[in-house]
Amino acid sequence: MKLSKIWLNINGADRMVVCNPEKDSLAEVLRRIGLTSVKVGCGTGVCGSCSVILNGKVIRSCTKKLKAVEEYSKIITLEGIGTPGNLHPLQVAWMNYGAIQCGFCTPGFIVSAYALLLENNNPTREEVRDWFQKHRNVCRCTGYKQLVDAVIAAAKVVRGEAKIEDITFQPSKDGGCYGKPLVRPSALAKVTGLADYGDDIELKMPAETLHAAIVQPRVAHHAKILKIDTSEAEKMPGVVKVITYKDIKENGGTNQMAEANLHERSTVTLPSRKILCEDKIFRYGDVVALAIADTQDHARAAAAKVKVEIEQLPEYLNYLDAVMPDAIRVHDDTPNLFCQQPVLKGAALDDASKVADIIDNSAYSAEGSFYSTREPHLSIEGCTVQAYFDEDDFLTIHCKSQGLYTSISRIGNSIGVPREKLRIVQNFTGASFGWSTNAGDLCLVGAAAVAVKGPVALSLTYEEHQHFSGKRCPCHSNGRVACDENGKITAAEFDFGMDHGAYSWGGDHVIEKQVRFTFFPYYLPHVAGLTRAANTNHTFGTAYRSYGSPQAYTLSEALMDMLAEKAGIDPFEFRWRNIAREGQTNINSHPFKEYPMEEMMNIMRPYYEKAVTEAKAADTPEKKRGVGIAWGGFNVTEGGTDQCTITLELAPDNMIVKYDTWQEMGQGGDVGSLMVTLEALKPMGVTPERIRLAQNDSKICPDSGMSAASRSHYMNGNATKLAAEKLMDAMRKDDGTYRTYDEMVTEGIETRYEAKYSCTATPGITRLNPNTGIGDPTPAYTYVLNLAEVEVDTATGKTKVLRFVCVYDVGKIGNIDAVNGQAYGGISHSIGFALSEDYSDVKKHTNIASSGVPYIKDIPDEIILIPHETYRNDGPFGSSGASEAFQSSGHIAVLNAIYNACGVRIYEMPAKPEKVKAGLDILAAGGKIEPPKKYFLGSDLYEELENIKTNPVAFRGDDMFNALGDSPDERFY
Ligand code: FES
Ligand code: FES
């Protein structure tokens, strides 16, 4: 290899770098010399996270080879813009204007914005948006609006029209922080580029650390493996070992990830997922071997030399094909259709088919079949993990896990390390939105470290990550709903088929959501519904914000509009007539926990009326305007068995240390934990500076559960209250003042207090009955009412969302930036889900751009969020949880708006321009858009419901979880 020496002026100083100009990108070189604010996400020029300024111009440094950089070029990275002791106004604004979530995109955005302000220090909002669009800066977390707010605020300081203090939140005068702005503890590291994400950790590990690369053949979705030949790979330069499943087994591992399908109707008997494939490939992204070498390049070169011989098997790439009677089994132990859950209400409890009769005999009815997409998460950072044995011989895995203890359970016995010797540490995380609830990458790097008995780092390319990680389950559904002459719903029937992909874990859980959130939060007297999950050969279904509920709203909120039209009633008014009123029950025959629906609609009504008026006025033949509305919502917590443990300790320096695993994915796990601790310790007058967070290391932190299910604030807040009471009781003196650490020690008083909060504290929570769907699995709900205004270009079929309004109720708000951050972000994902996002074509959907990620101009600048705060009695300080609801139904508000604009109903997502245009052409020719034919989902709905009725299974309630162990993590074997 030939290398070159080159001088570059970096952040004002001349520096000499040694590189391979043909091969090295500017991003690699800058990172190698320590400028790790330069983040590499996509690595292919489509995300902007690696933006730097080269000779005055913003460029994406991942695709800029050194040979194309002239010697003595001037380069500016984030490190040259501001430091912790000397922050640039942009950095201050980013911290104070809600512009930071995961922070992975932040350096690229700030560098890009800095260049903009050099050119134009008084940009309009649209000019800022145009700039970020032009430079391909993508933020997947924030929904963009706050980033523009931050640039506008910083520009004022740059122009001398405002001071730094004017754009900095001042601490609350009364000492309280709850419900008030509070800067995230991690914000400073994120805006200065000092936060080390996985690839930064890898770069900074000791020199003896080895590097692994995956062998992901990408030759078939379903195949028998005839031979894995590693001989050539083993001879490649730098290779230490090439491992297959045989090595994992030789090292004492089972090679299968722990898994439990606990639903009474699950037919799964064996864990479905291997770490490294043995005799079969089940999906395109499966991994068959790992090459471990001295450098990443050597590992990748060796991985490319592993030969895999296969025999192709039939491939089932969607639910409909996998449940056909002639389909072979994906997994030998179970039929492809492996779990189902009915829901029956009213007359259906006696005889489900009576619901069909009621619908047939009602004044109006609507029916339709719908498909919602295999939505990819598209976090900017992909899979990056590191493993080593620590000083106590714990196999320590650094990762992006959304549930450290769940990851330990999922790893189980798979890699030959006992659970009690596994330690999981969360790195700074460039977001996940759900995919990192799965521990597949942890198993890979753990198996590699066990094989070489030393430190190993594994970083997938974005394309490898895209194929390796799970996605939101695509869903086919059929439904009918009917109403009387007054527009009151009489009955509904529905049938969902969830494509859970190659692996089963979670499939028994995701199907609970459709039988809870279809037609939420309306009152329906009679319901006959069913949802089913099947294995296919596409990538596996996994958690994603609003897990399982967008599929439900895709059907029900479309049918609400369709029925309103049949009945000749305005869609807003139709919803008003049907929202549940105090005491009325949901489809699971239990009351809603709260009834904010009328008030929320009253808040939304003027926005709706204004939008309708404006849409009519602005409508032209070329640009059709429309308004769509959709209710949504979600549960809070994982239900009756949910538990959370945290610890508070008074440290020798009199700091109060909080230990928990509130995993910080960008949603605010740090600020949330700080805020509930401050509130719980309010009687002691504790300020933020006195609290030290010790988070997300399973060796020192108790199990606070996953960051999922909108549970963290609710569970952690309640546990923190309990621990704080214990600590304050111990510290309180007779005169009402509080002891110092030294006084506690002198008096022999314990300084460390752990508390566990369990959902069993909320009476009446039960799982769904597997025969009827009756149940009450949540202590609280969250509610959203979404309104989208769109413009459809009739020449191209392209839809632009012009404005989005969301009225929401998540209880008392603890931190408005964190809650609104979830709202803006969730809405932006919903718009992408409706219009562009997809991971169905594995050859095409290989990066965030080709998978349809929304860039800034795809998201409206005008997103109006209106909180309505109903106090939650069992929640901490009146709060519940906040995240999932915001991505539950925004997509269907957009799809309803498209119909309202131009008469094209999108039954099968996403609403890409060509699909809308095809509909417009049919209508222009005087034709009628034919909806999809009713899908065959495995059997007739009513026959299946009758079958379930005549073959009931024993309902084991929550005992089935508890019998397996005290902790939710014991659920997995
Ligand atoms: Fe360079 Fe994405 S554009 S990492
Ligand atoms: Fe922008 Fe996460 S904060 S990608």
Side-chain angles (χ1 to χ4, degrees):
M1 186 206 303
K2 304 248 188 318
L3 299 181
S4 300
K5 173 217 83 178
I6 175 169
W7 282 91
L8 296 171
N9 182 282
I10 303 174
N11 296 327
D14 287 338
R15 298 186 63 173
M16 183 173 68
V17 298
V18 178
C19 61
N20 179 340
E22 294 292 324
K23 179 183 156 296
D24 289 346
S25 69
L26 180 57
E28 281 175 284
V29 169
L30 292 171
R31 287 177 55 76
R32 217 158 54 212
I33 64 169
L35 300 173
T36 49
S37 75
V38 181
K39 305 296 179 203
V40 176
C42 67
T44 51
V46 296
C47 78
S49 67
C50 61
S51 297
V52 301
I53 300 170
L54 174 64
N55 297 324
K57 300 273 179 230
V58 179
I59 59 129
R60 294 186 287 285
S61 60
C62 69
T63 51
K64 190 81 172 173
K65 293 288 180 216
L66 252 287
K67 67 179 176 189
V69 177
E70 283 184 17
E71 192 155 29
Y72 301 111
S73 286
K74 290 191 186 327
I75 295 163
I76 300 174
T77 70
L78 183 61
E79 288 87 348
I81 292 175
T83 58
N86 185 23
L87 293 171
H88 187 275
L90 281 164
Q91 293 167 308
V92 175
W94 239 256
M95 291 170 68
N96 285 276
Y97 281 74
I100 290 182
Q101 289 192 30
C102 81
F104 195 81
C105 71
T106 301
F109 265 100
I110 293 181
V111 165
S112 184
Y114 181 79
L116 166 65
L117 296 188
L118 289 178
E119 253 179 45
N120 172 10
N121 70 9
N122 194 10
T124 63
R125 293 186 71 88
E126 215 42 43
E127 284 170 340
V128 176
R129 283 162 57 81
D130 287 342
W131 182 271
F132 288 144
Q133 180 77 18
K134 179 169 121 189
H135 293 290
R136 312 302 275 167
N137 290 109
V138 179
C139 177
R140 186 60 166 159
C141 297
T142 61
Y144 297 109
K145 178 178 177 292
Q146 311 89 306
L147 311 183
V148 182
D149 294 344
V151 176
I152 297 294
K156 268 192 184 170
V157 179
V158 168
R159 294 196 303 275
E161 294 169 12
K163 299 201 197 74
I164 282 288
E165 303 82 66
D166 299 331
I167 63 168
T168 306
F169 292 138
Q170 300 307 323
S172 166
K173 295 230 171 10
D174 66 6
C177 290
Y178 212 75
K180 312 223 169 72
L182 183 64
V183 170
R184 293 168 181 237
S186 59
L188 184 63
K190 288 174 178 174
V191 295
T192 51
L194 297 172
D196 282 334
Y197 296 78
D199 282 344
D200 307 323
I201 302 274
E202 175 170 351
L203 195 64
K204 296 169 187 178
M205 283 177 80
E208 58 267 36
T209 301
L210 298 174
H211 302 265
I214 60 171
V215 179
Q216 189 181 51
R218 295 191 223 152
V219 288
H221 297 273
H222 197 195
K224 264 190 200 156
I225 296 176
L226 304 178
K227 189 174 174 193
I228 304 170
D229 180 358
T230 61
S231 55
E232 205 180 326
E234 279 158 9
K235 292 183 207 132
M236 292 290 286
V239 169
V240 174
K241 216 172 180 68
V242 180
I243 66 168
T244 67
Y245 72 92
K246 290 181 186 157
D247 297 273
I248 294 179
K249 290 189 167 178
E250 274 168 24
N251 290 328
T254 61
N255 190 42
Q256 57 192 21
M257 293 178 67
E259 170 178 331
N261 268 261
L262 292 172
H263 195 284
E264 292 89 340
R265 292 191 174 278
S266 172
T267 56
V268 175
T269 59
L270 296 170
S272 57
R273 187 171 177 193
K274 312 284 184 205
I275 298 172
L276 294 174
C277 295
E278 296 183 7
D279 53 351
K280 268 176 93 174
I281 286 171
F282 292 99
R283 60 168 183 142
Y284 189 74
D286 271 350
V287 175
V288 301
L290 283 169
I292 307 165
D294 56 348
T295 68
Q296 198 179 75
D297 284 350
H298 282 153
R300 288 197 172 138
K305 295 291 182 188
V306 174
K307 296 196 188 81
V308 183
E309 281 178 39
I310 62 155
E311 178 189 317
Q312 182 83 44
L313 292 171
E315 297 176 337
Y316 307 112
L317 297 181
N318 64 62
Y319 179 98
L320 302 179
D321 291 342
V323 302
M324 290 304 282
D326 61 347
I328 65 165
R329 288 184 172 196
V330 173
H331 295 285
D332 293 339
D333 70 306
T334 173
N336 290 345
L337 205 166
F338 65 87
C339 200
Q340 55 186 1
Q341 169 69 51
V343 60
L344 307 170
K345 185 180 180 189
L349 285 163
D350 175 35
D351 176 356
S353 66
K354 284 185 182 169
V355 171
D357 295 339
I358 295 168
I359 294 171
D360 290 341
N361 293 309
S362 292
Y364 305 102
S365 68
E367 72 180 300
S369 295
F370 305 90
Y371 172 72
S372 60
T373 329
R374 190 183 314 277
E375 189 184 14
H377 304 72
L378 306 181
S379 60
I380 311 289
E381 182 194 46
C383 290
T384 167
V385 278
Q386 306 81 40
Y388 56 87
F389 291 91
D390 77 0
E391 60 282 1
D392 297 317
D393 220 24
F394 277 74
L395 176 63
T396 304
I397 301 177
H398 285 243
C399 59
K400 302 175 58 166
S401 172
Q402 238 168 286
L404 303 193
Y405 281 87
T406 308
S407 291
I408 289 176
S409 298
R410 283 283 276 151
I411 297 168
N413 302 319
S414 64
I415 56 176
V417 176
R419 285 171 49 135
E420 52 282 6
K421 286 304 246 184
L422 286 171
R423 174 186 185 187
I424 312 294
V425 178
Q426 191 198 8
N427 292 334
F428 273 103
T429 290
S432 158
F433 313 110
W435 68 258
S436 68
T437 51
N438 214 284
D441 48 347
L442 283 67
C443 291
L444 291 176
V445 78
V450 170
V452 298
K453 299 183 177 51
V456 179
L458 170 66
S459 183
L460 307 194
T461 66
Y462 204 90
E463 182 171 358
E464 288 170 340
H465 155 68
Q466 183 75 332
H467 300 312
F468 183 68
S469 53
K471 306 285 181 275
R472 190 189 295 290
C473 285
C475 175
H476 287 89
S477 59
N478 304 312
R480 289 202 301 160
V481 61
C483 67
D484 63 19
E485 298 78 7
N486 300 317
K488 297 280 276 186
I489 294 175
T490 51
E493 65 180 35
F494 49 80
D495 195 357
F496 291 89
M498 305 289 287
D499 173 353
H500 207 264
Y503 303 121
S504 312
W505 186 58
D508 60 337
H509 184 40
V510 74
I511 58 170
E512 290 178 7
K513 304 299 181 184
Q514 303 85 60
V515 293
R516 292 168 65 192
F517 293 104
T518 305
F519 294 105
F520 181 96
Y522 303 111
Y523 171 67
L524 280 71
H526 306 286
V527 176
L530 182 64
T531 180
R532 337 180 194 205
N535 285 129
T536 69
N537 294 114
H538 219 303
T539 198
F540 58 91
T542 195
Y544 193 163
R545 185 164 46 197
S546 303
Y547 187 48
S549 75
Q551 295 92 330
Y553 295 111
T554 299
L555 175 135
S556 61
E557 283 299 308
L559 285 177
M560 288 298 284
D561 262 29
M562 292 160 73
L563 185 56
E565 187 178 9
K566 286 268 187 86
I569 301 171
D570 173 87
F572 190 93
E573 171 62 23
F574 187 72
R575 286 173 170 82
W576 171 260
R577 293 185 196 182
N578 286 292
I579 47 173
R581 265 64 182 198
E582 192 75 33
Q584 288 184 325
T585 51
N586 60 27
I587 64 171
N588 310 110
S589 302
H590 278 265
F592 290 81
K593 303 287 176 178
E594 311 82 13
Y595 291 88
M597 299 78 152
E598 276 198 2
E599 287 176 35
M600 289 172 67
M601 289 202 82
N602 282 331
I603 293 169
M604 182 63 94
R605 192 181 295 276
Y607 290 92
Y608 176 73
E609 288 169 353
K610 177 170 175 271
V612 169
T613 306
E614 286 180 358
K616 273 196 191 125
D619 195 62
T620 67
E622 294 78 29
K623 307 269 184 185
K624 304 294 288 178
R625 287 278 190 102
V627 180
I629 196 124
W631 266 102
F634 204 71
N635 55 258
V636 175
T637 81
E638 291 175 341
T641 54
D642 204 348
Q643 297 172 348
C644 172
T645 305
I646 71 102
T647 301
L648 290 177
E649 179 178 36
L650 181 63
D653 58 1
N654 281 305
M655 293 284 283
I656 291 167
V657 187
K658 165 96 176 274
Y659 298 89
D660 69 12
T661 55
W662 189 335
Q663 292 88 183
E664 156 58 351
M665 317 308 298
Q667 88 285 26
D670 56 345
V671 73
S673 185
L674 173 62
M675 184 182 60
V676 295
T677 309
L678 282 168
E679 192 65 11
L681 294 172
K682 206 170 176 183
M684 277 179 27
V686 172
T687 57
E689 300 73 40
R690 203 179 154 198
I691 293 175
R692 187 157 58 228
L693 297 178
Q695 293 185 288
N696 302 323
D697 175 347
S698 67
K699 194 171 174 185
I700 59 168
C701 303
D703 182 3
S704 315
M706 297 183 94
S707 291
S710 295
R711 63 176 293 286
S712 299
H713 190 149
Y714 187 93
M715 298 300 294
N716 194 305
N718 275 327
T720 303
K721 276 172 65 177
L722 296 175
E725 280 162 20
K726 290 185 192 177
L727 179 64
M728 287 190 295
D729 285 349
M731 290 175 67
R732 196 178 297 110
K733 298 184 197 171
D734 290 344
D735 64 359
T737 62
Y738 293 90
R739 293 179 177 86
T740 63
Y741 175 85
D742 288 342
E743 288 169 336
M744 298 277 277
V745 172
T746 304
E747 294 179 51
I749 301 172
E750 179 60 59
T751 56
R752 188 181 168 100
Y753 294 90
E754 185 173 284
K756 179 190 277 189
Y757 182 78
S758 167
C759 263
T760 50
T762 310
I765 299 183
T766 61
R767 288 177 55 245
L768 297 183
N769 185 303
N771 302 311
T772 62
I774 292 175
D776 192 18
T778 183
Y781 286 107
T782 52
Y783 304 80
V784 294
L785 179 56
N786 291 309
L787 181 151
E789 296 177 54
V790 306
E791 180 181 87
V792 178
D793 182 328
T794 53
T796 63
K798 186 168 171 49
T799 300
K800 190 174 169 60
V801 180
L802 303 172
R803 185 189 293 153
F804 201 101
V805 185
C806 176
V807 179
Y808 67 82
D809 191 322
V810 297
K812 174 100 178 87
I813 292 170
N815 183 280
I816 189 68
D817 279 343
V819 172
N820 280 350
Q822 288 302 299
Y824 288 125
I827 289 165
S828 71
H829 284 227
S830 292
I831 291 170
F833 187 39
L835 299 180
S836 56
E837 292 172 16
D838 199 5
Y839 176 74
S840 53
D841 183 343
V842 296
K843 295 277 165 51
K844 179 177 169 200
H845 299 137
T846 55
N847 64 47
I848 62 168
S850 64
S851 302
V853 77
Y855 284 83
I856 191 167
K857 298 283 276 191
D858 298 317
I859 302 298
D861 193 34
E862 196 173 356
I863 299 178
I864 301 168
L865 304 176
I866 309 165
H868 174 270
E869 298 182 73
T870 304
Y871 194 89
R872 302 295 197 268
N873 289 328
D874 295 316
F877 321 113
S879 300
S880 62
S883 180
E884 324 268 344
F886 295 119
Q887 204 175 333
S888 59
S889 68
H891 65 292
I892 198 72
V894 174
L895 299 183
N896 283 343
I898 293 174
Y899 179 78
N900 181 251
C902 65
V904 176
R905 176 152 303 281
I906 299 297
Y907 295 91
E908 297 179 321
M909 295 164 56
K912 292 200 171 172
E914 54 273 22
K915 198 178 286 179
V916 178
K917 178 73 173 116
L920 286 166
D921 288 346
I922 291 171
L923 295 178
K928 186 168 170 286
I929 298 171
E930 287 301 326
K933 287 207 171 59
K934 189 172 172 182
Y935 302 120
F936 174 71
L937 299 178
S939 55
D940 174 78
L941 169 65
Y942 286 104
E943 281 176 18
E944 197 59 42
L945 290 174
E946 183 60 24
N947 184 30
I948 288 169
K949 187 177 177 186
T950 51
N951 294 289
V953 291
F955 178 34
R956 286 172 281 165
D958 290 328
D959 291 345
M960 68 191 300
F961 294 113
N962 291 327
L964 290 168
D966 188 41
S967 153
D969 298 312
E970 302 292 335
R971 296 171 190 179
F972 312 108
Y973 53 78

